[in-house]
Coordinates of all heavy atoms in Angstrom, one line a residue:
H498 N -30.8 21.6 10.5 CA -29.7 22.0 11.7 C -29.9 21.2 12.9 O -28.9 20.7 13.5 CB -30.0 23.5 11.8 CG -28.9 24.1 12.7 ND1 -28.9 23.9 14.1 CD2 -27.7 24.7 12.5 CE1 -28.0 24.6 14.7 NE2 -27.0 25.0 13.6
R499 N -31.1 21.1 13.3 CA -31.4 20.3 14.6 C -31.1 18.9 14.5 O -30.4 18.3 15.4 CB -32.9 20.5 15.0 CG -33.3 22.0 15.5 CD -34.7 21.8 16.2 NE -35.7 21.3 15.3 CZ -36.5 22.1 14.4 NH1 -36.2 23.4 14.5 NH2 -37.4 21.5 13.7
D500 N -31.3 18.3 13.4 CA -30.9 16.9 13.2 C -29.5 16.7 13.2 O -29.0 15.7 13.7 CB -31.6 16.3 11.9 CG -33.0 15.8 12.2 OD1 -33.6 16.0 13.2 OD2 -33.5 15.1 11.3
V501 N -28.8 17.6 12.4 CA -27.3 17.4 12.3 C -26.6 17.6 13.8 O -25.8 16.8 14.0 CB -26.8 18.5 11.2 CG1 -25.2 18.5 11.3 CG2 -27.3 18.1 9.9
V502 N -27.1 18.6 14.4 CA -26.6 18.8 15.8 C -26.8 17.6 16.7 O -26.0 17.2 17.4 CB -27.1 20.1 16.4 CG1 -26.7 20.2 17.8 CG2 -26.7 21.3 15.5
A503 N -28.0 17.2 16.5 CA -28.5 16.1 17.4 C -27.6 14.8 17.2 O -27.2 14.0 18.1 CB -29.9 15.6 17.1
F504 N -27.2 14.4 15.9 CA -26.4 13.3 15.6 C -24.8 13.5 15.8 O -24.1 12.7 16.1 CB -26.6 12.9 14.2 CG -27.9 12.0 14.0 CD1 -29.0 12.5 13.3 CD2 -28.0 10.7 14.5 CE1 -30.0 11.7 13.2 CE2 -29.1 10.0 14.4 CZ -30.1 10.4 13.7
T505 N -24.3 14.7 15.6 CA -23.0 15.0 15.5 C -22.5 16.0 16.6 O -21.3 16.1 16.9 CB -22.6 15.6 14.1 OG1 -23.1 16.8 14.0 CG2 -23.0 14.7 13.1
G506 N -23.3 16.8 17.1 CA -22.9 17.8 18.1 C -22.4 19.1 17.4 O -21.9 20.0 18.1
V507 N -22.3 19.2 16.1 CA -21.8 20.3 15.4 C -22.9 20.8 14.4 O -23.8 20.0 14.1 CB -20.5 20.0 14.8 CG1 -19.4 19.7 15.8 CG2 -20.5 18.9 13.8
T508 N -22.6 21.9 13.7 CA -23.5 22.5 12.7 C -23.4 21.8 11.4 O -22.3 21.2 11.1 CB -23.3 24.0 12.6 OG1 -21.9 24.2 12.1 CG2 -23.4 24.7 13.9
P509 N -24.3 22.0 10.5 CA -24.2 21.5 9.1 C -22.9 22.0 8.3 O -22.2 21.2 7.6 CB -25.4 22.1 8.5 CG -26.4 22.1 9.5 CD -25.6 22.6 10.7
A510 N -22.6 23.2 8.6 CA -21.4 23.9 7.9 C -20.0 23.0 8.4 O -19.1 22.8 7.6 CB -21.2 25.3 8.3
T511 N -20.0 22.7 9.7 CA -18.8 22.0 10.3 C -18.8 20.6 9.7 O -17.8 20.0 9.3 CB -18.8 21.9 11.7 OG1 -18.8 23.3 12.3 CG2 -17.7 21.2 12.3
V512 N -19.9 19.8 9.7 CA -20.1 18.5 9.1 C -19.7 18.5 7.8 O -19.0 17.4 7.3 CB -21.5 18.0 9.3 CG1 -21.7 16.7 8.3 CG2 -22.0 17.6 10.7
A513 N -19.9 19.5 7.0 CA -19.5 19.5 5.5 C -18.0 19.5 5.3 O -17.6 19.0 4.2 CB -20.1 20.7 4.7
C514 N -17.4 19.8 6.3 CA -15.8 19.8 6.2 C -15.1 18.7 7.0 O -13.9 18.6 7.1 CB -15.2 21.2 6.6 SG -15.8 22.6 5.7
E515 N -15.9 17.7 7.4 CA -15.3 16.6 8.3 C -14.4 15.8 7.4 O -14.9 15.2 6.5 CB -16.4 15.8 9.0 CG -17.0 16.6 10.2 CD -16.1 16.8 11.2 OE1 -15.2 16.0 11.6 OE2 -16.2 17.9 11.8

Side-chain angles (χ1 to χ4, degrees):
H498 185 278
R499 289 194 300 272
D500 272 10
V501 170
V502 171
F504 279 115
T505 67
V507 296
T508 66
T511 301
V512 164
C514 297
E515 284 297 320

